[in-house]
Amino acid sequence: MCRHWNQVRRLTGRVVRGLIVTRAMSSGLTGVEAGKRAAARAAVDNHIKTGQAVGIGSGSTIVFAVERIAERVKSENLQLRCVPTSFQAKQLIQDNNLTLSSLETCPKLDVAIDGADEVDSQLNCIKGGGGCLTQEKIVASCAEEFIIIADYRKDTGALGTYWTKGIPIEVIPMAYKPIQIRVASELGGKADLRMANRKAGPVVTDNGNFILDWVAPTKTENWEFVNQQIKIIPGVLETGLFIKMARIAYFGNEDGSISTRSPPWLQSAGDR
Ligand code: 5RP
């Protein structure tokens, strides 16, 4: 049995592999979608307990997690409060008859589950492919445990390997031009204004802002520094760099199996 299965076995105290493969197959999904579903369901099964306040991420992978949460609420009568990270997440919560909450009534969350566009060896992530980075980061920062769910393609050694569309940066609309110029002159590369598909003009976020997608000129390992450099520019609201936030990532494979990974800094702290 390979190492990650031992990891999963340790984490759950039971053999998860057979269970996950069976469920993925019975869903009729194949390929990447089967991987997303397997990762999402395993994370929900291993981390969600009754009484919790749960942050609900955005994107396509989180849909599988919410479906599994709803199944468990029904079959196990779990009592949960769900805090959304976007308009999409809010609708998902409501459509699945889960209890919608907010950071106003639930400022401390037990767990937050979310997808990612790419995850590096330290579990640093690029997020914001769907433009929800700011609320996602706020919700993740309020959670005791931030869990990433993704398909195997997102698991790379270095950010920028798989996700080549750039680091999303949410900006106040009136400042987008000076921010573009400053990012390019101070950090190099190019920060493009994200344009909408079925609307004329730029993408407008759930917060009424614009998104710049910054493609870095070279690869770096010091994403923490880069993140700080971008964040101090006036008009920048948030970046899609999630540094040292995730405690565990679930990656799903095409055959419905999963692997999990915790960041080295957490393992060495002997924290979990
Ligand atoms: C949205 C996000 C998503 O979590 C990220 O884009 C991953 O999405 P998907 O699960 O569809 O791959 O950050 O802003």
Side-chain angles (χ1 to χ4, degrees):
M1 187 175 279
C2 63
R3 199 166 55 90
H4 68 251
W5 288 119
N6 285 330
Q7 247 179 318
V8 174
R9 194 199 274 267
R10 213 173 44 241
L11 197 78
T12 59
R14 63 199 161 96
V15 180
V16 176
R17 186 183 195 184
L19 187 73
I20 299 297
V21 171
T22 309
R23 282 181 179 159
M25 283 173 170
S26 68
S27 73
L29 292 175
T30 53
V32 167
E33 295 304 301
K36 289 181 185 182
R37 183 175 187 267
R41 294 176 75 90
V44 169
D45 287 351
N46 288 335
H47 297 271
I48 301 295
K49 297 184 199 76
T50 193
Q52 285 179 334
V54 182
I56 301 293
S58 306
S60 56
T61 316
I62 196 67
V63 174
F64 295 112
V66 173
E67 278 170 12
R68 181 61 187 145
I69 292 172
E71 278 175 21
R72 290 194 57 207
V73 164
K74 216 169 165 190
S75 63
E76 299 169 40
N77 193 27
L78 296 184
Q79 303 298 310
L80 302 174
R81 289 153 295 154
C82 297
V83 174
T85 55
S86 62
F87 181 82
Q88 179 221 359
K90 185 173 154 221
Q91 286 197 318
L92 265 180
I93 293 166
Q94 288 172 327
D95 290 351
N96 283 278
N97 297 316
L98 299 174
T99 304
L100 179 66
S101 191
S102 68
L103 290 179
E104 198 169 12
T105 48
C106 256
K108 282 192 178 174
L109 306 176
D110 297 288
V111 59
I113 303 185
D114 206 343
D117 298 306
E118 188 166 9
V119 185
D120 76 6
S121 54
Q122 306 287 311
L123 252 55
N124 295 323
C125 308
I126 299 176
K127 286 184 50 53
C132 313
L133 55 144
T134 301
Q135 292 188 38
E136 289 175 334
K137 200 181 272 190
I138 294 168
V139 168
S141 75
C142 294
E144 188 69 31
E145 195 174 34
F146 176 46
I147 300 163
I148 290 290
I149 49 174
D151 65 76
Y152 64 96
R153 301 170 305 171
K154 315 279 184 73
D155 182 15
T156 69
L159 297 183
T161 308
Y162 170 76
W163 187 257
T164 52
K165 294 182 187 170
I167 312 291
I169 306 170
E170 183 162 352
V171 302
I172 304 294
M174 60 88 79
Y176 92 89
K177 192 53 112 181
I179 295 170
Q180 277 183 318
I181 294 168
R182 198 162 152 186
V183 166
S185 70
E186 290 180 9
L187 294 160
K190 197 162 173 281
D192 287 324
L193 182 61
R194 191 183 294 183
M195 301 307 284
N197 268 337
R198 298 187 62 195
K199 162 195 172 285
V203 165
V204 178
T205 70
D206 289 354
N207 312 307
N209 296 314
F210 292 169
I211 303 267
L212 300 179
D213 289 301
W214 172 60
V215 180
T218 50
K219 283 195 177 169
T220 177
E221 288 190 359
N222 201 347
W223 289 111
E224 196 161 2
F225 175 74
V226 169
N227 188 43
Q228 284 163 3
Q229 290 299 103
I230 300 171
K231 284 200 69 166
I232 57 172
I233 301 174
V236 169
L237 186 61
E238 195 47 87
T239 81
L241 287 167
F242 283 48
I243 310 297
K244 283 194 172 176
M245 293 185 76
R247 285 182 161 249
I248 187 163
Y250 283 73
F251 298 106
N253 301 308
E254 290 187 336
D255 64 359
S257 63
I258 56 152
S259 61
T260 65
R261 203 145 49 71
S262 294
W265 52 268
L266 192 61
Q267 288 160 8
S268 58
D271 213 354
R272 205 166 281 260

